[in-house]
Amino acid sequence: MTKKAYFWWQLRFLNVLTQNSKMKKIDVVLGLQWGDEGKGKVVDVLTPDYKVIARFQGGPNAGHSLHFNGKSYVLKTIPSGIFRDGAINFIGNGVVIDPAILAGEIKALEADGYDITPKLVISKKAHLILPTHRILDAASEASKGKSKIGSTLRGIGPTYMDKTGRNGLRIGDVLSPEFEKRYNTLKEKHINMLKQYPDFEYDITQYEKEWFEGIEKIRQCEFIDSEQTMNDYIDGNVPVLAEGAQGSLLDIDFGTYPFVTSSNTLCAGACTGLGVAPNRIGNVFGIFKAYCTRVGSGPFPTELFDDEGEKMCEIGREFGSTTGRKRRCGWLDLVALKYSVMLNGVTSLIMMKGDVLNSFETLKVAVAYDINGERVTHFPYEVNDDIKPVYREFKGWNQDINDIRKYEEFPTEFKEYVEFIEKECGVPIKIISVGPDREETIIR
Ligand code: GDP
Ligand code: IMO
Ligand code: MG
């Protein structure tokens, strides 16, 4: 290449770069562990900076808790921006919807004085969870015995199977005069599939009734061509925050398979679940707890089976927001956290629930795994009982941090913990949460 040609080639490259940096983008909030990191709280805290809050995957397996003015709410399908005036709450094509559950959520909030349907829009391409999807989920789990996934039994797996199997029903189909016929065809298919579980008894009569009533209720929301609307928002410089459900270690491709959920929980899921091009993703906020929890079955290398685990569970109130199941607790796992940071391209970290560790004398953080005598620092293909975490110990701060609102005022031991994590991950911790309430948040 001549010098002149090289100059022009370089200039073209520069142009592409600057164009990209000027491009309007959406931000994403997601969980970096096994779910329940505190996504609901964080989205609620960040919503005043956005005009649109968009769920992009998962369904009513999620339970996102919000706490403000002395009241608590748990959202399953509705995005966590719903309590702030002026924000549009957007359910993207990647989400799976159970109309009975969504209608129940809407009605409960209406009873509490919130006008939901005018600020909630639903993608026509979002798939429907049928009553028989729930039955299939339950029958499949029951047949697995000890090796069950520990599913929330909301019909998530069977619905995504019908989506990828190209048999699913979508929100947009509700508007078709053929809807009931198509519903019955899919239901019949499921009833035939259920014959492989002859001992599994079920009766969907009541739930089916609630389901069709739910369809009528959610028809009060606008059903939209969501990918077009979303890109119009982006082009029009309307600030959008995408809200993930579950966590990166439950991702269908990169989680601890098969003990995972059935969608892509990673940042890439925001692209496919909203119709947003990858170069239009801006900030990626990755949320983690100062320790680890997991609900349901599957590997968990730093899990605690002793009094310390019980103490975390008790102080952290680690019981599922959706199913009420006890969450398993353990130390922070940096091997897994770094893996999640890598897969999501996290630009800012958010640390939750440091306050739960207030009274621990010594804290442990897994910095590597010992697998049959070999020291491993990457998240391995097989996460099993052969893994022995290699811990680094930290002195606990042994004081109440719940009332602290300025980073400088945290005890030295707490700051050492925070700064070690951000150094290891190579990403700054920009937000620290020290309690469930909106107000118990420190922005650095
Ligand atoms: P999500 O699914 O990621 O939204 O998380 P969940 O709502 O299922 O679980 C998080 C739980 O922790 C909820 O009960 C929150 O109210 C609570 N929580 C959130 N942040 C904090 C925090 O900083 N400290 C304490 N103690 N609790 C928190
Ligand atoms: P949020 O959004 C924690 C877990 C289940 C089970 C596995 C598969 O509140 O963080 P599924 O019902 O999807 O077939 O269950 O995934 N799981 C969650 N764990 N938080 C969640 O959501 C979860 N959603 C699913 O416990 O182990
Ligand atoms: Mg949850």
Side-chain angles (χ1 to χ4, degrees):
M1 197 188 279
T2 63
K3 255 191 174 172
K4 201 173 163 191
Y6 180 69
F7 171 78
W8 285 112
W9 178 79
Q10 257 198 336
L11 200 68
R12 229 181 69 173
F13 181 61
L14 255 176
N15 275 340
V16 170
L17 272 185
T18 46
Q19 259 169 27
N20 264 349
S21 66
K22 276 187 210 141
M23 213 170 210
K24 297 152 190 165
K25 297 178 181 202
I26 70 164
D27 293 339
V28 184
V29 162
L30 41 77
L32 299 177
Q33 294 161 321
W34 282 286
D36 302 328
E37 296 87 354
K39 299 173 287 293
K41 166 172 172 170
V42 169
V43 171
D44 174 57
V45 167
L46 295 179
T47 298
D49 291 339
Y50 295 88
K51 277 271 172 286
V52 180
I53 308 300
R55 274 280 303 270
F56 57 87
Q57 46 68 234
N61 47 348
H64 295 179
S65 321
L66 291 82
H67 195 85
F68 55 90
N69 301 340
K71 280 194 140 184
S72 295
Y73 295 92
V74 179
L75 300 171
K76 298 179 173 83
T77 322
I78 297 178
S80 303
I82 202 75
F83 298 106
R84 303 279 198 176
D85 288 338
I88 294 168
N89 287 261
F90 186 106
I91 300 181
N93 57 282
V95 176
V96 289
I97 296 173
D98 182 327
I101 296 181
L102 177 53
E105 281 189 81
I106 296 173
K107 284 184 200 161
L109 295 181
E110 281 174 348
D112 233 24
Y114 293 96
D115 194 9
I116 302 300
T117 51
K119 22 184 207 174
L120 188 62
V121 297
I122 308 177
S123 172
K124 285 186 197 157
K125 293 196 170 83
H127 277 247
L128 285 164
I129 303 176
L130 269 57
T132 38
H133 280 132
R134 283 168 68 104
I135 305 293
L136 280 166
D137 206 0
S140 156
E141 279 284 80
S143 74
K144 284 188 169 143
K146 276 195 176 148
S147 58
K148 69 175 184 190
I149 309 289
S151 156
T152 59
L153 305 180
R154 298 296 186 268
I156 306 295
T159 305
Y160 279 113
M161 280 162 73
D162 268 341
K163 175 178 178 175
T164 51
R166 295 157 296 179
N167 295 310
L169 275 182
R170 301 184 289 177
I171 283 287
D173 296 330
V174 167
L175 307 172
S176 156
E178 302 270 282
F179 178 62
E180 225 166 298
K181 192 170 146 214
R182 290 165 74 177
Y183 169 86
N184 283 322
T185 307
L186 188 54
K187 176 180 147 184
E188 280 312 311
K189 182 173 173 276
H190 292 160
I191 287 173
N192 278 324
M193 288 164 75
L194 283 161
K195 288 183 184 150
Q196 63 183 306
Y197 310 105
D199 298 332
F200 193 84
E201 289 178 16
Y202 61 92
D203 176 6
I204 60 163
T205 333
Q206 178 57 26
Y207 202 74
E208 199 173 41
K209 187 171 164 282
E210 286 167 34
W211 195 86
F212 277 102
E213 286 166 4
I215 296 260
E216 287 315 307
K217 179 72 194 167
I218 66 173
R219 280 178 79 139
Q220 292 174 2
C221 305
E222 197 183 345
F223 295 168
I224 56 167
D225 293 316
S226 55
E227 64 281 29
Q228 191 57 53
T229 310
M230 180 53 67
N231 282 281
D232 290 346
Y233 288 146
I234 302 173
D235 290 338
N237 239 343
V238 176
V240 177
L241 181 65
E243 172 180 4
Q246 290 78 56
S248 303
L249 303 175
L250 289 171
D251 180 85
I252 183 69
D253 282 282
F254 299 103
T256 45
Y257 193 88
F259 300 99
V260 293
T261 190
S262 300
S263 64
N264 280 117
T265 59
L266 300 178
C267 186
C271 295
T272 55
L274 295 172
V276 170
N279 61 352
R280 306 196 100 182
I281 299 289
N283 297 308
V284 181
F285 299 105
I287 312 182
F288 69 100
K289 282 181 190 169
Y291 50 98
C292 267
T293 64
R294 171 162 208 169
V295 61
S297 329
F300 180 178
T302 59
E303 182 168 11
L304 287 166
F305 299 95
D306 56 11
D307 291 349
E308 282 191 307
E310 280 301 314
K311 186 171 157 184
M312 267 179 204
C313 179
E314 198 176 306
I315 301 175
R317 300 195 182 162
E318 295 296 358
F319 294 90
S321 325
T322 293
T323 57
R325 290 179 294 175
K326 192 172 176 191
R327 296 176 184 149
R328 300 150 64 192
C329 293
W331 298 118
L332 183 66
D333 184 342
L334 271 185
V335 180
L337 189 65
K338 283 154 98 171
Y339 180 64
S340 297
V341 167
M342 170 184 86
L343 291 171
N344 288 298
V346 172
T347 58
S348 299
L349 284 165
I350 301 181
M351 188 175 99
M352 315 297 287
K353 299 188 107 164
D355 56 297
V356 173
L357 304 178
N358 282 349
S359 60
F360 284 70
E361 285 292 324
T362 305
L363 306 177
K364 291 184 188 175
V365 173
V367 290
Y369 295 152
D370 181 329
I371 307 178
N372 300 321
E374 198 190 330
R375 201 181 161 106
V376 171
T377 51
H378 67 269
F379 202 64
Y381 173 71
E382 189 116 49
V383 184
N384 59 23
D385 291 345
D386 291 340
I387 292 183
K388 305 281 173 272
V390 178
Y391 287 114
R392 182 183 158 141
E393 291 195 358
F394 289 82
K395 194 169 171 293
W397 39 94
N398 271 295
Q399 84 175 61
D400 206 328
I401 56 166
N402 304 56
D403 292 329
I404 294 178
R405 296 291 175 268
K406 282 194 190 130
Y407 184 72
E408 303 75 52
E409 288 168 11
F410 277 117
T412 313
E413 293 85 355
F414 181 84
K415 286 191 274 194
E416 271 172 16
Y417 192 73
V418 166
E419 286 159 29
F420 176 75
I421 297 166
E422 56 186 2
K423 190 160 162 262
E424 282 290 305
C425 293
V427 181
I429 299 182
K430 290 264 181 77
I431 300 179
I432 293 172
S433 167
V434 292
D437 197 274
R438 261 182 197 169
E439 306 297 323
E440 293 167 305
T441 314
I442 294 94
I443 316 247
R444 278 171 88 192

